[in-house]
Amino acid sequence: MDGSDVSGSPLPKTFLDFLSQNGLSPSLYAASSQSIPRYVRLKPGFESHIGDIEDEIGCNLVEVPWLPNFYHLPPEIRIASTKAYREGKIYGIDAASGAAVLALNVSHGDHVLDLCAAPGAKLCMVADLLEGSGSLTGVDIARHRLAATRNILNKYALGDRCRLFVADGTKFSLIPLRASSSSNSSRGDASETYKEWEARRRAWKERKLLAKTQNKCTEAEIREDPEVIFYGPRSGMVGRSKASVYRVVDEHQISDMGYDKVLVDAECTHDGSIKHIRKFEQWGWTTLPQRVLEARRSDELSALQLNLLTNGFRLLKAGGSLVYSTCSLSAAQNEDVVERFMSRNPSAGKT
């Protein structure tokens, strides 16, 4: 196979051409999976437990200076079986994901929307930063992944002010439940109100069937109204009528009552993830062009990314902030998407 040797493994010529077209060096992928550190975030309030955590895992937690509460560990360290992980003191999250949340500049009292919320690590970090204030709305089109997000929020006791919706992020239109919001225009039966959330455990066979048949919901499978699969006791849902939650609002109302911050960490080809690219050593390099480089896939993704970005911006309160991020290094999925968006939305400011 044509390629360039990177850490003993050849990158295919098609991928080298892709890197060249995007002004990227193959040396970015020289690191082996065994040399890439593992990142964890320490839940605020547990700083005094660092020594105990280090004793348990048998190595030092090395602080990441530019990411508050982030530490890196040797890649061979497994945290899932540790007491600190089971008790919700630490959770795994990539530094790049942490950087996207940090850029959001979450402030006390913000109402935040994560439009591509699964698998949930960024949502947890946002919840931490809100410090029991404001609200957090997570949306994802993949039901099983959002269910895992719900489990993570509950595990780390971070779901108090959160609500989760299975929905198409390009069409999601529910605004945050601010204390002063009204329901002059609404849908549904106003007599139906939300009570305290109770976990509804499905039979094992049903859950197994869902895992097979609902790996990823298509647009046709998403009901007209977003489906709520979790809400915390202080998310604003309890005691609300379904009509007030699903009320129709116009653009003027969104400008006044929309989200303070929106995160659009969009689906992408993951070519910027060294760990992901190195997996092709096992999967076979011949499969990389179809999974990562195929023009049709790239075009479909860039269209999806633009639609997610556009809808996220539409749901922003006037003066709010949006962060758009991907784990791709291609201009087509980053700069080009942003430029197309800016050309259609001149009122948006870029930083």
Side-chain angles (χ1 to χ4, degrees):
M1 179 187 298
D2 292 332
S4 173
D5 188 85
V6 178
S7 189
S9 297
L11 291 172
K13 184 178 183 302
T14 49
F15 190 62
L16 292 173
D17 291 342
F18 163 81
L19 295 177
S20 177
Q21 291 164 8
N22 287 277
L24 303 170
S25 169
S27 63
L28 289 170
Y29 300 86
S32 68
S33 299
Q34 289 70 40
S35 65
I36 301 172
R38 177 183 300 274
Y39 291 91
V40 297
R41 189 167 195 270
L42 180 71
K43 190 175 178 182
F46 289 103
E47 289 80 5
S48 62
H49 295 244
I50 289 179
D52 294 336
I53 296 172
E54 290 177 333
D55 289 342
E56 182 182 12
I57 63 178
C59 71
N60 292 330
L61 292 172
V62 182
E63 191 171 2
V64 179
W66 56 277
L67 273 177
N69 292 86
F70 270 72
Y71 299 83
H72 65 80
L73 316 168
E76 68 272 11
I77 299 296
R78 299 290 180 263
I79 65 171
S81 61
T82 65
K83 181 180 178 182
Y85 177 81
R86 293 196 305 271
E87 294 180 348
K89 297 173 183 176
I90 58 172
Y91 54 89
I93 175 172
D94 289 335
S97 296
V101 175
L102 188 66
L104 203 57
N105 193 26
V106 174
S107 300
H108 188 84
D110 276 346
H111 295 273
V112 183
L113 170 64
D114 186 345
L115 209 49
C116 308
K122 290 186 292 295
L123 207 68
C124 286
M125 183 174 171
V126 173
D128 270 341
L129 295 174
L130 285 171
E131 298 180 322
S133 69
S135 71
L136 179 55
T137 300
V139 175
D140 206 276
I141 199 169
R143 179 189 300 273
H144 75 294
R145 283 166 55 83
L146 199 62
T149 300
R150 176 182 60 200
N151 294 340
I152 291 172
L153 285 171
N154 287 328
K155 175 185 178 65
Y156 298 120
L158 291 171
D160 191 38
R161 292 179 174 269
C162 185
R163 55 185 186 154
L164 300 177
F165 291 95
V166 178
D168 181 347
T170 67
K171 298 178 179 179
F172 184 77
S173 60
L174 305 185
I175 62 172
L177 300 176
R178 297 176 181 270
S180 60
S181 61
S182 62
S183 55
N184 295 329
S185 180
S186 60
R187 293 179 288 172
D189 181 1
S191 66
E192 181 182 350
T193 59
Y194 289 97
K195 298 177 174 59
E196 290 280 348
W197 176 265
E198 294 181 4
R200 299 168 178 85
R201 295 185 61 84
R202 292 185 172 91
W204 178 81
K205 286 185 178 180
E206 183 182 354
R207 294 200 306 272
K208 187 175 181 181
L209 178 62
L210 282 172
K212 289 183 178 180
T213 61
Q214 295 185 339
N215 280 343
K216 187 171 183 181
C217 296
T218 64
E219 181 178 329
E221 293 171 320
I222 295 294
R223 47 192 275 181
E224 181 180 351
D225 287 340
E227 179 186 1
V228 59
I229 67 164
F230 173 77
Y231 54 86
R234 295 200 291 168
S235 63
M237 296 282 286
V238 178
R240 292 263 186 171
S241 67
K242 182 177 180 182
S244 68
V245 172
Y246 285 87
R247 67 190 181 280
V248 177
V249 295
D250 58 32
E251 299 303 313
H252 176 72
Q253 288 173 304
I254 292 177
S255 179
D256 289 338
M257 301 185 299
Y259 295 90
D260 300 291
K261 306 287 168 61
V262 174
L263 176 61
V264 180
D265 187 36
E267 181 179 351
C268 66
T269 53
H270 303 289
D271 56 81
S273 168
I274 298 173
K275 288 183 179 179
H276 182 75
I277 294 300
R278 302 300 299 195
K279 288 178 181 178
F280 285 94
E281 293 176 350
Q282 287 75 45
W283 295 341
W285 289 111
T286 55
T287 65
L288 185 143
Q290 179 181 357
R291 296 190 184 193
V292 177
L293 306 176
E294 189 179 61
R296 178 181 172 185
R297 172 166 166 74
S298 179
D299 290 345
E300 290 175 348
L301 281 174
S302 61
L304 171 64
Q305 291 156 351
L306 178 59
N307 289 335
L308 287 167
L309 175 54
T310 301
N311 194 42
F313 178 70
R314 183 182 70 85
L315 293 170
L316 266 183
K317 180 183 178 182
S321 300
L322 180 149
V323 169
Y324 171 76
S325 61
T326 74
C327 21
S328 170
L329 295 178
S330 72
Q333 297 177 64
N334 292 289
E335 291 88 346
D336 292 353
V337 170
V338 172
E339 289 306 316
R340 288 165 63 194
F341 166 77
M342 294 297 295
S343 69
R344 301 178 185 182
N345 298 274
S347 64
K350 185 171 65 172
T351 57

